Amino acid sequence: MKLTQEQIEAYEDLGYITLDGLFSREEAALMKSRLPALYRMDRDEVIKEKSGVVRTVFAAHTFDDVFARVARHPRLIEPARELLGSDVYMHQFKINAKAAFNGDVWQWHQDFGTWHEDDGMPNPRAMNVAVFLDDVNEFNGPLMFIPRSHKNGRIEAGHDRTTTSYPLWTLDNDKVAALVEDGGIVAPKGKAGTVLIFQSTLVHASAPNLSPWDRNTLYVTTNSVDNAIQKFQRPDYIAHRDFTPIQTLDDNCLEELMKAVA
Ligand code: SIN
Ligand code: MN
């Protein structure tokens, strides 16, 4: 799959692109069908909110056969290779539940802040490719981006270990206010199957989900094979140590699975 010149320019300028309906409703439904079983698992990869509901499941591609395919899907990996100009490996693979009524906040941050501080990632040559597993609307805690904020490079951040159940390097309010003054805030919405690709230095956050609708999102974090991490202090299910280039599967790899179970 190749991005258009317009999409590449938007990614460079705004720091993100939205690919509406890149996965079909059926493909998104197949991915979503695996979540109840994952969320019931009693394993370290399953992180709970303070309320007790699931916040995040890490590394599901290592123990679920649908997500093993998603992690090698050409519609996710080829754009990452194209935008980074190199082969890529999987730095992190996670599903954020953002459960109806209970899904907690993600504070304002840059992903590269955490990957650099905690994992020793040398340069911002990684990116998040997010897949909506539910329809995302203005009420169920959509991701919020500050367009063009990635152009500031890595911004000083503080380590917040208390606000939520998951530690994160976050920006202070004055800095966020100044960035928003320049760039505003956008919250891309879309139906299940939509994909968002965003730069690792793009400042983003999401509000709690007070709506009755879940907002499950899958994040594939690809990193350039030339930019492997150098610190190994977080568990390997959060910051992977396998720097092998991802070998993509065929574009119909999820459809094949649907046929096999039909
Ligand atoms: C993240 O920033 O890693 C997740 C944000 C979200 O899912 O709202
Ligand atoms: Mn993030």
Side-chain angles (χ1 to χ4, degrees):
M1 180 191 141
K2 275 196 103 43
L3 296 171
T4 64
Q5 194 53 34
E6 211 175 40
Q7 287 169 329
I8 295 171
E9 280 166 18
Y11 176 81
E12 295 303 340
D13 181 38
L14 299 173
Y16 70 95
I17 46 175
T18 310
L19 305 172
D20 287 319
L22 187 64
F23 288 92
S24 67
R25 279 218 171 264
E26 293 73 26
E27 288 170 317
L30 173 69
M31 296 182 224
K32 195 176 162 183
S33 72
R34 311 303 283 219
L35 300 184
L38 294 186
Y39 292 173
R40 279 194 300 272
M41 286 180 173
D42 179 19
R43 45 190 303 161
D44 292 347
E45 290 90 338
V46 181
I47 312 286
K48 304 277 173 61
E49 303 279 20
K50 287 181 171 176
S51 68
V53 302
V54 170
R55 178 174 179 84
T56 298
V57 177
F58 284 103
H61 65 309
T62 62
F63 49 85
D64 178 282
D65 56 350
V66 169
F67 293 117
R69 290 186 180 213
V70 173
R72 298 173 59 195
H73 203 291
R75 273 175 252 159
L76 301 178
I77 304 304
E78 285 171 3
R81 278 189 200 135
E82 190 177 1
L83 292 168
L84 291 169
S86 74
D87 267 326
V88 296
Y89 77 89
M90 187 69 68
H91 172 61
Q92 190 176 80
F93 186 101
K94 70 173 189 251
I95 299 158
N96 282 350
K98 189 73 86 163
F101 298 113
N102 281 299
D104 206 353
V105 62
W106 285 82
Q107 315 92 307
W108 286 106
H109 67 282
Q110 296 175 304
D111 290 330
F112 182 64
T114 298
W115 300 337
H116 183 74
E117 290 291 343
D118 289 351
D119 306 329
M121 186 182 286
N123 296 301
R125 297 201 56 222
M127 69 178 64
N128 262 325
V129 186
V131 185
F132 295 177
L133 302 186
D134 289 298
D135 295 347
V136 175
N137 56 44
E138 61 267 57
F139 307 110
N140 60 355
L143 266 180
M144 300 186 287
F145 294 145
I146 304 179
R148 300 189 172 87
S149 54
H150 65 294
K151 294 182 177 171
N152 294 279
R154 185 163 67 91
I155 299 167
E156 203 185 299
H159 204 194
D160 182 345
R161 300 157 190 265
T162 54
T163 302
T164 71
S165 60
Y166 184 73
L168 204 62
W169 288 86
T170 62
L171 304 191
D172 71 37
N173 291 351
D174 289 347
K175 184 69 204 175
V176 172
L179 291 169
V180 171
E181 181 93 20
D182 286 346
I185 300 179
V186 296
K189 270 81 80 182
K191 58 185 186 195
T194 292
V195 166
L196 278 181
I197 305 181
F198 56 101
Q199 302 246 6
S200 63
T201 48
L202 189 72
V203 177
H204 60 284
S206 65
N209 184 2
L210 293 177
S211 83
W213 304 297
D214 293 332
R215 194 225 65 180
N216 291 284
T217 311
L218 167 88
Y219 294 88
V220 166
T221 301
T222 53
N223 187 19
S224 167
V225 290
D226 308 323
N227 194 41
I229 62 167
Q230 295 172 358
K231 257 195 222 172
F232 305 108
Q233 67 188 29
R234 296 203 294 176
D236 65 358
Y237 57 81
I238 295 185
H240 302 313
R241 323 283 201 245
D242 179 358
F243 308 138
T244 318
I246 298 170
Q247 303 288 326
T248 47
L249 300 172
D250 286 341
D251 191 77
N252 65 355
C253 60
L254 295 177
E255 284 157 36
E256 273 174 4
L257 214 51
M258 285 186 247
K259 282 190 207 133
V261 293

